Amino acid sequence: MKLATLKDGSRDGQLVVVSSDGLWALDASHVAPTLQHAIEHWSSAAPQLLALANALNTGDVDQRLPFDPARAMAPLPRAYQWCDGSAFLSHGALMQKAFNLEPIDGAETTPLMYQGAGDDFIGGRDDIALPSESQGIDFEGEFVVLVDDVPMGCSAEQALTHIKLILQINDVSLRALAPREMRTGFGFLQAKPSSSFAPLAITPDELGDAWHDGRVHLPLQVQWNGQWFGQPHGAQMTFDFGQLIAHAALTRRLGAGTLIGSGTVSNAERSAGSACIAERRAIEMIEHGAAKTAYMRFGDRVHMDVLGSDGKSLFGAIDQRVVQAQG
């Protein structure tokens, strides 16, 4: 099942089910007005949403409308909680080597995670409006899971059962602002502006055999200004999503609608490229002694997509420009 949220002038948008081929949509607001409502009432809402999806896929509906990704908000336009991990340790290892950083104690056994802002997510076709190019504008391709209510102390195995939807995100970062915030020990704030989401949130079964061991076993295709940038594979997560959820829930419950991110998709193999500019710059520093690739400029475009075995987009592509924010 594929779900999306369409722009309707409200903060939370209109929930729709989307056909498997991504071409058609069907209003689902009579089942759940928003995705947040759906996830809070998943046991009753999911069967009804699935029935709508099945009818849409078989053509047994009269009210379908063409699905326009440009009309899509983030599937969950605002979340009560957004926790982003760093589950691909190859990414951290590159950063440590490039900047001569001390290894983080316990990083190979305990996931790294920060709590970000979830009040203003943007759609995957919306412009990314930011104040200044000097802030080091970077994209970061990640996978994300949306959970229902998770009890405190949930095991990693149990945590996997709480994953109801999978999403794909461009977790925008401002690299020039990050070092000071990391040194304070308080974590990111200004360095993490609004993140953008691919149009579709999908149930794990939509991935077929590509979803197992709590990981998305598919490459994330990334292009920058129409040029190939990377295709790192999601299977190389050091910590799976069950472990990330369990980490977040160690000392507190997670409310339905919590989003948990994988961190930048990264592979040890250099031939896979990267899902963020900072990683490419780290590789350049290691190999050439200095970074050669600049960060994004206003007018630049980033494209991210994940293709299924049929060659079709699973989440709907992220395709967006960086523009200067207007005061």
Side-chain angles (χ1 to χ4, degrees):
M1 178 169 60
K2 297 185 175 185
L3 302 173
T5 296
L6 298 183
K7 298 173 182 177
D8 66 353
S10 71
R11 288 178 181 266
D12 299 304
Q14 174 193 358
L15 183 66
V16 296
V17 295
V18 178
S19 58
S20 293
D21 59 13
L23 297 179
W24 300 97
L26 185 64
D27 178 27
S29 59
H30 60 288
V31 174
T34 65
L35 185 56
Q36 180 63 40
H37 185 279
I39 200 69
E40 290 177 354
H41 303 85
W42 192 252
S43 60
S44 59
Q48 298 179 70
L49 294 171
L50 181 59
L52 291 178
N54 289 337
L56 181 60
N57 287 326
T58 59
D60 190 24
V61 291
D62 297 324
Q63 300 84 17
R64 71 177 189 176
L65 64 153
F67 178 64
D68 180 3
R71 285 194 59 209
M73 305 172 74
L76 192 65
R78 50 180 177 165
Y80 288 115
Q81 183 162 225
W82 157 231
C83 297
D84 197 14
S86 183
F88 293 85
L89 292 192
S90 58
H91 176 73
L94 280 172
M95 295 300 176
Q96 288 174 10
K97 186 174 181 179
F99 293 98
N100 296 312
L101 302 175
E102 291 293 325
I104 298 173
D105 184 43
E108 295 184 353
T109 56
T110 303
L112 298 176
M113 186 173 288
Y114 78 95
Q115 190 170 39
D119 60 314
D120 187 32
F121 294 135
I122 63 176
R125 305 298 172 92
D126 295 337
D127 288 343
I128 303 168
L130 293 167
S132 172
E133 294 176 341
S134 67
Q135 293 171 339
I137 304 168
D138 198 357
F139 51 81
E140 286 193 66
E142 306 184 20
F143 294 109
V144 177
V145 294
L146 179 63
V147 300
D148 62 4
D149 289 305
V150 179
M152 182 171 60
C154 183
S155 70
E157 183 178 7
Q158 291 172 330
L160 290 174
T161 68
H162 291 282
I163 296 173
K164 302 308 174 187
L165 294 166
I166 304 172
L167 305 90
Q168 197 267 306
I169 185 176
N170 174 16
D171 184 40
V172 182
S173 293
L174 301 177
R175 301 298 187 182
L177 303 181
R180 179 192 175 276
E181 293 191 329
M182 288 189 287
R183 287 195 300 270
T184 67
F186 276 76
F188 298 119
L189 182 67
Q190 294 175 337
K192 289 291 186 179
S194 298
S195 297
S196 55
F197 282 75
L200 303 176
I202 68 176
T203 49
D205 61 284
E206 289 286 339
L207 290 172
D209 293 339
W211 174 253
H212 59 90
D213 303 324
R215 297 170 172 87
V216 178
H217 288 251
L218 289 169
L220 174 59
Q221 312 280 349
V222 182
Q223 295 181 11
W224 180 15
N225 291 331
Q227 300 296 314
W228 180 90
F229 195 83
Q231 52 186 33
H233 205 280
Q236 293 192 25
M237 285 177 74
T238 305
F239 301 102
D240 66 49
F241 275 113
Q243 292 170 297
L244 294 180
I245 296 166
H247 176 76
L250 180 65
T251 60
R252 58 181 172 178
R253 296 175 295 171
L254 305 182
T258 293
L259 291 159
I260 305 288
S262 67
T264 306
V265 181
S266 176
N267 293 171
E269 300 84 3
R270 301 284 172 83
S271 60
S274 299
C276 71
I277 300 171
E279 184 172 290
R280 175 180 281 188
R281 286 168 58 90
I283 293 171
E284 291 170 345
M285 291 172 68
I286 293 167
E287 294 184 346
H288 307 294
K292 298 181 178 181
T293 302
Y295 288 114
M296 300 184 82
R297 306 290 299 272
F298 294 140
D300 282 5
R301 182 175 293 274
V302 61
H303 185 280
M304 298 179 182
D305 208 355
V306 182
L307 305 181
S309 58
D310 59 0
K312 295 180 180 178
S313 178
L314 284 163
F315 300 95
I318 287 175
D319 188 12
Q320 53 190 172
R321 296 181 310 154
V322 175
V323 300
Q324 185 163 25
Q326 300 301 312

